[in-house]
Amino acid sequence: EQTQPVPLDAAHLDRHRVVSHQKTHPATWAFDVLRTQVLQKMDENGWRTIAITSPSVESGKTVVSVNLAMSIAKQTNRTALLVDFDLRRPSVSRTLGLNRSLSLNDVLAGRVDLGQALVNPGVERFVVLPTNQPVEEAAEVLSSGKVAGLIDDLRQRYSDRVVIFDLPPILVADDVMAVLPRIDCVLMVVGSGASTQTEIEEASDRLSKHNLLGVVLNRDETPTQNAYY
């Protein structure tokens, strides 16, 4: 209730393939199915935090992160918090069309409290912690005690909250490996044509040491009855 609300532009969301807030959109079903599978597995293990990553860039992991978070928030017994932890190339704000001066950058710098940087993007039970600017020494920041405390705070503050962390691609740097031990589970997004088989295999091998829920194939052009992407 105290989170700053920011109305979003429907046309901007549509251009950036953010669709889960629309009940009648033909792609919503795919994210709702993904949501149900993810929540069932997380509930089985008592997990509250999930990371989203990809083998390489341009896989659509942020689009999946945003739509999955929105889909989770549609359930009346859940709230969803999306955190932009892609500190090298943050894109959650751009995808949603958020325009706020405060963000995770200010929290990490100690200029504001966590609550001041959170924003409600016009969707009930959905909260975002955006990152406005790239962060230097991203891996060191993500492995720091300050970020560990932040993750614990986000996990424990509300019992019905699922926290989704949008992480960088796993093969571009060691950022993902630095923070994954602090997050309960991980989902890998593979964009059709965006990664080679070798990249997918290497990314899967690195994630096998953690709780890998599965792989999402994004941008699949195979025609199906309910296909949109």
mmCIF file of all heavy atoms in Angstrom, residues 1-3 15-16 21 26 31 35 39 42-43 48 64 97 103 113 118 189 213:
data_model
loop_
_atom_site.group_PDB
_atom_site.id
_atom_site.type_symbol
_atom_site.label_atom_id
_atom_site.label_comp_id
_atom_site.label_asym_id
_atom_site.label_seq_id
_atom_site.Cartn_x
_atom_site.Cartn_y
_atom_site.Cartn_z
ATOM 1 N N GLU A 1 0.820 -1.207 0.000
ATOM 2 C CA GLU A 1 0.000 0.000 0.000
ATOM 3 C C GLU A 1 0.857 1.261 0.000
ATOM 4 O O GLU A 1 0.424 2.312 -0.458
ATOM 5 C CB GLU A 1 -0.933 -0.010 1.224
ATOM 6 C CG GLU A 1 -1.971 -1.117 1.177
ATOM 7 C CD GLU A 1 -2.827 -1.137 2.434
ATOM 8 O OE1 GLU A 1 -2.513 -0.360 3.366
ATOM 9 O OE2 GLU A 1 -3.770 -1.915 2.491
ATOM 10 N N GLN A 2 2.063 1.192 0.518
ATOM 11 C CA GLN A 2 2.928 2.360 0.578
ATOM 12 C C GLN A 2 3.799 2.516 -0.670
ATOM 13 O O GLN A 2 4.450 3.532 -0.841
ATOM 14 C CB GLN A 2 3.828 2.252 1.806
ATOM 15 C CG GLN A 2 3.045 2.233 3.122
ATOM 16 C CD GLN A 2 3.952 2.027 4.317
ATOM 17 O OE1 GLN A 2 5.136 1.766 4.162
ATOM 18 N NE2 GLN A 2 3.395 2.137 5.502
ATOM 19 N N THR A 3 3.800 1.495 -1.540
ATOM 20 C CA THR A 3 4.636 1.538 -2.726
ATOM 21 C C THR A 3 4.121 2.574 -3.712
ATOM 22 O O THR A 3 2.924 2.661 -3.964
ATOM 23 C CB THR A 3 4.687 0.154 -3.398
ATOM 24 O OG1 THR A 3 5.162 -0.805 -2.448
ATOM 25 C CG2 THR A 3 5.623 0.174 -4.592
ATOM 26 N N ARG A 15 4.231 -2.974 -27.499
ATOM 27 C CA ARG A 15 5.415 -2.938 -28.371
ATOM 28 C C ARG A 15 6.556 -3.762 -27.798
ATOM 29 O O ARG A 15 7.379 -4.294 -28.555
ATOM 30 C CB ARG A 15 5.885 -1.492 -28.570
ATOM 31 C CG ARG A 15 5.000 -0.652 -29.477
ATOM 32 C CD ARG A 15 5.714 0.621 -29.909
ATOM 33 N NE ARG A 15 6.139 1.423 -28.782
ATOM 34 C CZ ARG A 15 5.392 2.362 -28.205
ATOM 35 N NH1 ARG A 15 4.161 2.595 -28.648
ATOM 36 N NH2 ARG A 15 5.862 3.072 -27.193
ATOM 37 N N HIS A 16 6.627 -3.862 -26.465
ATOM 38 C CA HIS A 16 7.715 -4.602 -25.816
ATOM 39 C C HIS A 16 7.277 -6.007 -25.396
ATOM 40 O O HIS A 16 7.929 -6.644 -24.575
ATOM 41 C CB HIS A 16 8.232 -3.815 -24.611
ATOM 42 C CG HIS A 16 9.028 -2.603 -24.992
ATOM 43 N ND1 HIS A 16 8.427 -1.432 -25.429
ATOM 44 C CD2 HIS A 16 10.369 -2.377 -25.037
ATOM 45 C CE1 HIS A 16 9.372 -0.541 -25.696
ATOM 46 N NE2 HIS A 16 10.541 -1.089 -25.476
ATOM 47 N N HIS A 21 -0.774 -8.974 -18.402
ATOM 48 C CA HIS A 21 -1.828 -8.221 -17.728
ATOM 49 C C HIS A 21 -3.121 -8.229 -18.532
ATOM 50 O O HIS A 21 -4.162 -7.794 -18.034
ATOM 51 C CB HIS A 21 -1.378 -6.777 -17.515
ATOM 52 C CG HIS A 21 -1.092 -6.046 -18.794
ATOM 53 N ND1 HIS A 21 -0.076 -6.420 -19.650
ATOM 54 C CD2 HIS A 21 -1.688 -4.969 -19.373
ATOM 55 C CE1 HIS A 21 -0.063 -5.614 -20.694
ATOM 56 N NE2 HIS A 21 -1.033 -4.723 -20.555
ATOM 57 N N PRO A 26 -3.606 -13.463 -26.873
ATOM 58 C CA PRO A 26 -3.363 -14.856 -27.250
ATOM 59 C C PRO A 26 -2.087 -15.467 -26.676
ATOM 60 O O PRO A 26 -1.930 -16.686 -26.701
ATOM 61 C CB PRO A 26 -3.300 -14.799 -28.789
ATOM 62 C CG PRO A 26 -3.026 -13.370 -29.122
ATOM 63 C CD PRO A 26 -3.680 -12.561 -28.045
ATOM 64 N N PHE A 31 2.291 -17.865 -20.630
ATOM 65 C CA PHE A 31 2.901 -17.423 -19.380
ATOM 66 C C PHE A 31 2.130 -17.941 -18.165
ATOM 67 O O PHE A 31 2.719 -18.200 -17.118
ATOM 68 C CB PHE A 31 3.008 -15.902 -19.355
ATOM 69 C CG PHE A 31 4.007 -15.369 -20.331
ATOM 70 C CD1 PHE A 31 3.598 -14.710 -21.481
ATOM 71 C CD2 PHE A 31 5.371 -15.556 -20.129
ATOM 72 C CE1 PHE A 31 4.519 -14.228 -22.394
ATOM 73 C CE2 PHE A 31 6.305 -15.087 -21.041
ATOM 74 C CZ PHE A 31 5.878 -14.424 -22.180
ATOM 75 N N ARG A 35 3.743 -20.077 -15.298
ATOM 76 C CA ARG A 35 3.548 -19.683 -13.897
ATOM 77 C C ARG A 35 3.124 -20.872 -13.044
ATOM 78 O O ARG A 35 3.673 -21.108 -11.953
ATOM 79 C CB ARG A 35 2.482 -18.597 -13.820
ATOM 80 C CG ARG A 35 1.992 -18.279 -12.408
ATOM 81 C CD ARG A 35 0.646 -17.594 -12.442
ATOM 82 N NE ARG A 35 -0.398 -18.473 -12.945
ATOM 83 C CZ ARG A 35 -1.590 -18.054 -13.374
ATOM 84 N NH1 ARG A 35 -1.880 -16.757 -13.378
ATOM 85 N NH2 ARG A 35 -2.480 -18.926 -13.786
ATOM 86 N N LEU A 39 5.333 -22.293 -9.973
ATOM 87 C CA LEU A 39 4.844 -22.183 -8.595
ATOM 88 C C LEU A 39 4.664 -23.557 -7.958
ATOM 89 O O LEU A 39 4.925 -23.726 -6.759
ATOM 90 C CB LEU A 39 3.525 -21.413 -8.567
ATOM 91 C CG LEU A 39 3.626 -19.913 -8.867
ATOM 92 C CD1 LEU A 39 2.251 -19.262 -8.785
ATOM 93 C CD2 LEU A 39 4.593 -19.213 -7.915
ATOM 94 N N MET A 42 8.109 -24.640 -6.916
ATOM 95 C CA MET A 42 8.612 -23.833 -5.811
ATOM 96 C C MET A 42 7.888 -24.175 -4.510
ATOM 97 O O MET A 42 8.513 -24.276 -3.448
ATOM 98 C CB MET A 42 8.465 -22.344 -6.136
ATOM 99 C CG MET A 42 9.348 -21.876 -7.278
ATOM 100 S SD MET A 42 9.214 -20.089 -7.634
ATOM 101 C CE MET A 42 10.059 -19.388 -6.205
ATOM 102 N N ASP A 43 6.574 -24.384 -4.590
ATOM 103 C CA ASP A 43 5.808 -24.724 -3.392
ATOM 104 C C ASP A 43 6.227 -26.075 -2.831
ATOM 105 O O ASP A 43 6.268 -26.280 -1.611
ATOM 106 C CB ASP A 43 4.313 -24.726 -3.704
ATOM 107 C CG ASP A 43 3.753 -23.325 -3.899
ATOM 108 O OD1 ASP A 43 4.438 -22.358 -3.531
ATOM 109 O OD2 ASP A 43 2.633 -23.204 -4.436
ATOM 110 N N ARG A 48 11.047 -19.406 -2.354
ATOM 111 C CA ARG A 48 10.386 -18.100 -2.483
ATOM 112 C C ARG A 48 11.054 -17.197 -3.492
ATOM 113 O O ARG A 48 10.486 -16.171 -3.878
ATOM 114 C CB ARG A 48 10.401 -17.401 -1.116
ATOM 115 C CG ARG A 48 9.744 -18.198 0.018
ATOM 116 C CD ARG A 48 8.286 -17.878 0.126
ATOM 117 N NE ARG A 48 8.095 -16.472 0.354
ATOM 118 C CZ ARG A 48 8.278 -15.871 1.549
ATOM 119 N NH1 ARG A 48 8.678 -16.576 2.598
ATOM 120 N NH2 ARG A 48 8.046 -14.573 1.684
ATOM 121 N N VAL A 64 10.401 -12.477 -20.552
ATOM 122 C CA VAL A 64 9.864 -13.619 -19.805
ATOM 123 C C VAL A 64 9.756 -13.272 -18.325
ATOM 124 O O VAL A 64 8.752 -13.599 -17.670
ATOM 125 C CB VAL A 64 10.740 -14.867 -20.019
ATOM 126 C CG1 VAL A 64 10.308 -15.994 -19.089
ATOM 127 C CG2 VAL A 64 10.667 -15.325 -21.476
ATOM 128 N N GLY A 97 8.493 0.653 -19.401
ATOM 129 C CA GLY A 97 8.242 2.070 -19.633
ATOM 130 C C GLY A 97 8.195 2.878 -18.355
ATOM 131 O O GLY A 97 7.517 3.905 -18.284
ATOM 132 N N SER A 103 15.991 4.133 -7.762
ATOM 133 C CA SER A 103 16.103 2.749 -8.207
ATOM 134 C C SER A 103 17.044 1.987 -7.280
ATOM 135 O O SER A 103 17.500 2.512 -6.260
ATOM 136 C CB SER A 103 16.627 2.695 -9.643
ATOM 137 O OG SER A 103 18.005 3.046 -9.691
ATOM 138 N N ASP A 113 16.190 4.181 1.397
ATOM 139 C CA ASP A 113 15.814 2.861 1.878
ATOM 140 C C ASP A 113 15.183 2.055 0.753
ATOM 141 O O ASP A 113 14.704 2.610 -0.250
ATOM 142 C CB ASP A 113 14.818 2.989 3.037
ATOM 143 C CG ASP A 113 15.436 3.636 4.261
ATOM 144 O OD1 ASP A 113 16.657 3.485 4.449
ATOM 145 O OD2 ASP A 113 14.695 4.302 5.007
ATOM 146 N N LEU A 118 11.013 1.021 -4.493
ATOM 147 C CA LEU A 118 10.022 0.102 -5.053
ATOM 148 C C LEU A 118 8.929 0.882 -5.772
ATOM 149 O O LEU A 118 8.592 2.005 -5.392
ATOM 150 C CB LEU A 118 9.406 -0.753 -3.952
ATOM 151 C CG LEU A 118 10.344 -1.705 -3.215
ATOM 152 C CD1 LEU A 118 9.605 -2.389 -2.073
ATOM 153 C CD2 LEU A 118 10.940 -2.739 -4.163
ATOM 154 N N VAL A 189 16.171 -19.155 -20.030
ATOM 155 C CA VAL A 189 15.430 -18.783 -21.232
ATOM 156 C C VAL A 189 16.362 -18.900 -22.429
ATOM 157 O O VAL A 189 17.422 -18.276 -22.473
ATOM 158 C CB VAL A 189 14.886 -17.343 -21.137
ATOM 159 C CG1 VAL A 189 14.187 -16.945 -22.433
ATOM 160 C CG2 VAL A 189 13.938 -17.221 -19.949
ATOM 161 N N LEU A 213 15.041 -25.214 -12.613
ATOM 162 C CA LEU A 213 13.663 -25.686 -12.789
ATOM 163 C C LEU A 213 13.429 -26.221 -14.187
ATOM 164 O O LEU A 213 12.656 -27.162 -14.387
ATOM 165 C CB LEU A 213 12.669 -24.550 -12.517
ATOM 166 C CG LEU A 213 12.550 -24.033 -11.095
ATOM 167 C CD1 LEU A 213 11.370 -23.075 -10.991
ATOM 168 C CD2 LEU A 213 12.376 -25.176 -10.119
#
